[in-house]
Amino acid sequence: VQLQAFGGGLVQPGGSLRLSCAASGFILDDYAIGWFRQAAGKEREGISCISSLDDRTYYTDSVKGRFTISRDKAKNTAYLQMNSLKPEDTAVYYCAALLYGSRWCLDYDMNYWGKGTQVTVSS
């Protein structure tokens, strides 16, 4: 069983990145997927969640309107499309999975965590 986040990198302010969260060993569609981030010297922050079964979504205010969470059932992968990136979005980004979770999954202890991927927004 493995969850892997990838797709980070260096991008200029105003740019875009798409993060992927690939699952192996379990069916991702049975799980809510949460995206979290942790900036240097700060606590980890939950930023978005997509529910299991009906794909309802939640975004924290700091990313609402700029980030979009989604999943591709055929590829057993979830995504976080990040647009209009700002320097304050710089962080290590993690995905996590919660069995039969709702769109409020960020408030619960996740079943699986992926290793993080670094996103740096800088000119």
Side-chain angles (χ1 to χ4, degrees):
V1 173
Q2 189 176 8
L3 201 60
Q4 184 177 2
F6 56 95
L10 173 64
V11 63
Q12 291 187 342
S16 297
L17 278 175
R18 187 178 78 160
L19 304 183
S20 299
C21 177
S24 59
F26 65 100
I27 299 173
L28 201 60
D29 198 41
D30 292 337
Y31 291 75
I33 301 300
W35 283 96
F36 299 78
R37 66 185 180 186
Q38 187 166 20
K42 295 187 177 181
E43 293 187 356
R44 187 174 64 199
E45 172 191 24
I47 58 172
S48 184
C49 178
I50 185 167
S51 64
S52 63
L53 303 179
D54 61 1
D55 288 351
R56 297 183 73 181
T57 59
Y58 164 82
Y59 302 93
T60 193
D61 286 345
S62 61
V63 306
K64 194 177 298 182
R66 300 187 297 122
F67 292 10
T68 303
I69 191 171
S70 63
R71 69 167 86 225
D72 185 325
K73 298 176 184 180
K75 295 183 178 179
N76 215 33
T77 299
Y79 303 97
L80 186 69
Q81 177 67 43
M82 306 186 296
N83 298 329
S84 302
L85 283 162
K86 305 175 182 180
E88 51 263 44
D89 293 318
T90 295
V92 178
Y93 284 70
Y94 302 86
C95 63
L98 177 66
L99 183 63
Y100 299 133
S102 73
R103 63 177 170 153
W104 311 114
C105 70
L106 303 178
D107 295 332
Y108 294 86
D109 291 332
M110 308 300 274
N111 297 113
Y112 303 115
W113 285 87
K115 292 183 180 179
T117 183
Q118 175 71 46
V119 172
T120 302
V121 185
S122 175
S123 55

PDB file of all heavy atoms in Angstrom, residues 22 80 118 121 123:
ATOM      1  N   ALA A  22      -0.730   9.538  -6.475  1.00  0.00           N
ATOM      2  CA  ALA A  22      -0.981   8.222  -7.044  1.00  0.00           C
ATOM      3  C   ALA A  22      -1.037   7.162  -5.953  1.00  0.00           C
ATOM      4  O   ALA A  22      -0.173   7.117  -5.072  1.00  0.00           O
ATOM      5  CB  ALA A  22       0.104   7.873  -8.051  1.00  0.00           C
ATOM      6  N   LEU A  80      -4.142  18.061  -7.682  1.00  0.00           N
ATOM      7  CA  LEU A  80      -4.366  19.401  -7.153  1.00  0.00           C
ATOM      8  C   LEU A  80      -3.818  20.369  -8.190  1.00  0.00           C
ATOM      9  O   LEU A  80      -2.596  20.487  -8.347  1.00  0.00           O
ATOM     10  CB  LEU A  80      -3.679  19.606  -5.806  1.00  0.00           C
ATOM     11  CG  LEU A  80      -3.990  20.944  -5.139  1.00  0.00           C
ATOM     12  CD1 LEU A  80      -5.455  20.980  -4.683  1.00  0.00           C
ATOM     13  CD2 LEU A  80      -3.065  21.192  -3.941  1.00  0.00           C
ATOM     14  N   GLN A 118       8.015  19.255  -2.982  1.00  0.00           N
ATOM     15  CA  GLN A 118       8.309  20.654  -2.712  1.00  0.00           C
ATOM     16  C   GLN A 118       7.745  21.545  -3.818  1.00  0.00           C
ATOM     17  O   GLN A 118       7.982  21.298  -5.009  1.00  0.00           O
ATOM     18  CB  GLN A 118       9.834  20.869  -2.613  1.00  0.00           C
ATOM     19  CG  GLN A 118      10.263  22.314  -2.442  1.00  0.00           C
ATOM     20  CD  GLN A 118       9.933  22.866  -1.077  1.00  0.00           C
ATOM     21  OE1 GLN A 118      10.186  22.227  -0.054  1.00  0.00           O
ATOM     22  NE2 GLN A 118       9.363  24.080  -1.039  1.00  0.00           N
ATOM     23  N   VAL A 121       7.537  28.958  -5.006  1.00  0.00           N
ATOM     24  CA  VAL A 121       7.033  30.035  -5.855  1.00  0.00           C
ATOM     25  C   VAL A 121       7.937  31.245  -5.657  1.00  0.00           C
ATOM     26  O   VAL A 121       7.937  31.867  -4.598  1.00  0.00           O
ATOM     27  CB  VAL A 121       5.580  30.385  -5.525  1.00  0.00           C
ATOM     28  CG1 VAL A 121       5.059  31.427  -6.509  1.00  0.00           C
ATOM     29  CG2 VAL A 121       4.718  29.128  -5.541  1.00  0.00           C
ATOM     30  N   SER A 123      10.398  34.407  -7.968  1.00  0.00           N
ATOM     31  CA  SER A 123      10.888  34.994  -9.224  1.00  0.00           C
ATOM     32  C   SER A 123      12.413  34.967  -9.258  1.00  0.00           C
ATOM     33  O   SER A 123      13.008  35.393 -10.239  1.00  0.00           O
ATOM     34  CB  SER A 123      10.369  36.422  -9.372  1.00  0.00           C
ATOM     35  OG  SER A 123      10.722  37.195  -8.236  1.00  0.00           O
TER      36      SER A 123
END
